[in-house]
Each structure stands twice: as structure tokens, then as C-alpha cells.
Amino acid sequence: MKGFIFEELNGGASCRTYLIACPRTREALIVDPVLELVPGYMQRLGKDQLRLAMVVDTHTHADHLSGGRELARMTGAVHAGAPAGTVQRLLSEGDVVAVGNVRLDVWASPGHTADAMVLVMEDRVLSGDTLLIGATGRTDLPTGDAEAEYHSLQRLLSLPGDTLVFPAHDYGGRTFSTIGHERLTNPRLRLEHDAFIRLMTTPCTEKPARLAESLAYNTRPLSAHDAPAEQVFML
């Protein structure tokens, strides 16, 4: 699909951050930024003289510090998405995010977290931590719900098979998949409902290394300094 800029910004690291921009208006969107990598994002925006209109976090991250609020502070962009009370614009089911001529439909996809969402474009989906390549988001962290995730995944599987899948994480160096490939090869998606619930509710002793730090940072309330920007890039 032509007509927009689409890049992964973290160079193949396990956390994935995406840039989407309209070449005509130079308006840009960054999805799931990592705080420590904000200087690189700023350099990338400057390279093509892109104006950051919105930053979206697709869920409450438990493994890294979000760069959303810092990017909004530095650029005047709107910090949107999740979690409630910490972003300037809460995104909900049915919202449409727009940068120039580029439109992204917001689907609520609870399961990995209660506030999880995915962003659906004409030929691709930014699947957050709901659908990963060869796996799905874990549901044993705060607000996780295996039953909700099962239904969110079934909805994603209703997309055309050639829909590109760009997750918020990958631990094997892979860049993307497709809905059709995941239907055929993702072992969790091949499970029946009850087997999926049993698997996803089995206790997991390994927790993200920065769990407490990340949750504390990413859920801190908005202050007066973080007041919503006047211009909203949503339809």
C-alpha cells in the first residue's frame, strides 16, 4: 500500500515502535515509544521534517517506560491511547486516528491488559501485545484476562488473510507476519477455547524485569503541565 510512511524505529529490538506519517501534510504518528529511545525518534522526525501530531500507547506497558508523555512534551503532540488518567486523549472502540490522509481504526482488544487496543489500517494491523508473531500476549499480569483475550484474538482473525501484522514485541528478530500465516502456524491460535484458557491461566513465575518500575511510571496521573493540547487529530 502506497501513500504513507511506515517504519519500525527501534532497529529490531524486542520492543517495537512504529512511525506512520503522511508525506503530503508531514503529519506523523508514533505508536508505543520507549522512553530511552526518544532522542532517536526526534532525529527521525527531523530528518524528513515531520511534525508529530499524536503519540499512541496501545496498552499499559509493564516491561518498559513509555516515551509518550516525553514526546508530547517536546513536540506539542497529543499523547493518546492508554491508560486512562495518564494520557491526554483516551482512545476507545470505534475511534479513528488520522494523520493527514492516513486513517487508523481503533479496536478495543482487552486480554493482555484491560485497556489494550489495536490499530487497524487498510492492509495492516498494529496488534500491540494482543497478537504476537507465533504467540499472544500473556494474561497473568495486572488486569490480564484470558477469556477476553480469546475473543479479541478471534476478532483479529476475522481480518483478511493477507493483512500484515506488526506487533509491539518480537523476541526472534522477525519484522512482521500476516493474519493468514498466524492462523496456520501460531500454536495458541490453533487451540480450542478451553485449552487456550487453561494455557493462558497457568501460573508463570517469570515476570518482566522492570515490572514495578514500568507500572509506576506508566500509570502516574496527569499534572497541570500535561494538560491536553488544543488540537486533536481524531475523527
Side-chain angles (χ1 to χ4, degrees):
M1 181 177 177
K2 298 180 180 179
F4 61 89
I5 296 167
F6 186 92
E7 296 179 13
E8 197 285 310
L9 297 178
N10 298 346
S14 59
C15 289
R16 300 293 168 85
T17 298
Y18 298 97
L19 168 72
I20 304 163
C22 173
R24 181 181 62 83
T25 64
R26 319 309 295 174
E27 292 172 357
L29 165 72
I30 289 180
V31 179
D32 289 331
V34 176
L35 179 63
E36 292 84 352
L37 301 179
V38 163
Y41 306 150
M42 294 297 294
Q43 289 181 358
R44 177 63 189 89
L45 292 167
K47 177 184 175 183
D48 282 349
Q49 297 183 323
L50 300 175
R51 182 174 66 85
L52 190 62
M54 184 176 284
V55 190
V56 173
D57 279 303
T58 59
H59 60 287
T60 302
H61 302 286
D63 62 339
H64 68 271
L65 308 187
S66 166
R69 194 176 298 191
E70 181 65 8
L71 280 168
R73 183 191 67 80
M74 296 175 69
T75 66
V78 176
H79 185 203
T86 73
V87 292
Q88 296 169 333
R89 300 290 175 185
L90 186 66
L91 295 180
S92 303
E93 171 72 28
D95 286 338
V96 177
V97 174
V99 284
N101 294 332
V102 186
R103 298 164 57 95
L104 302 93
D105 293 314
V106 178
W107 286 10
S109 61
H112 174 64
T113 61
D115 56 16
M117 66 193 73
V118 299
L119 303 176
V120 182
M121 302 174 69
E122 183 178 339
D123 69 337
R124 66 195 65 196
V125 58
L126 279 68
S127 59
D129 276 16
T130 300
L131 175 58
L132 308 177
I133 300 175
T136 60
R138 60 191 294 176
T139 60
D140 63 326
L141 299 178
T143 77
D145 184 322
E147 180 74 27
E149 179 156 280
Y150 179 83
H151 293 291
S152 293
L153 289 165
Q154 297 308 303
R155 186 183 185 191
L156 280 175
L157 292 180
S158 72
L159 290 168
D162 60 355
T163 302
L164 302 173
V165 175
F166 292 92
H169 291 281
D170 186 74
Y171 303 95
R174 297 159 295 192
T175 56
F176 70 93
S177 184
T178 66
I179 291 293
H181 184 75
E182 294 305 306
R183 283 196 201 114
L184 292 174
T185 64
N186 190 318
R188 293 185 186 176
L189 299 183
R190 301 178 72 178
L191 295 174
E192 297 294 334
H193 171 272
D194 290 352
F196 179 86
I197 301 302
R198 284 195 299 271
L199 174 67
M200 300 307 294
T201 54
T202 300
C204 179
T205 58
E206 183 179 351
K207 301 296 183 184
R210 303 178 70 182
L211 176 63
E213 178 190 13
S214 297
L215 291 178
Y217 184 86
N218 295 333
T219 61
R220 68 201 193 287
L222 284 171
S223 67
H225 179 70
D226 302 309
E230 293 183 0
Q231 192 164 7
V232 182
F233 293 84
M234 291 174 55
L235 299 179

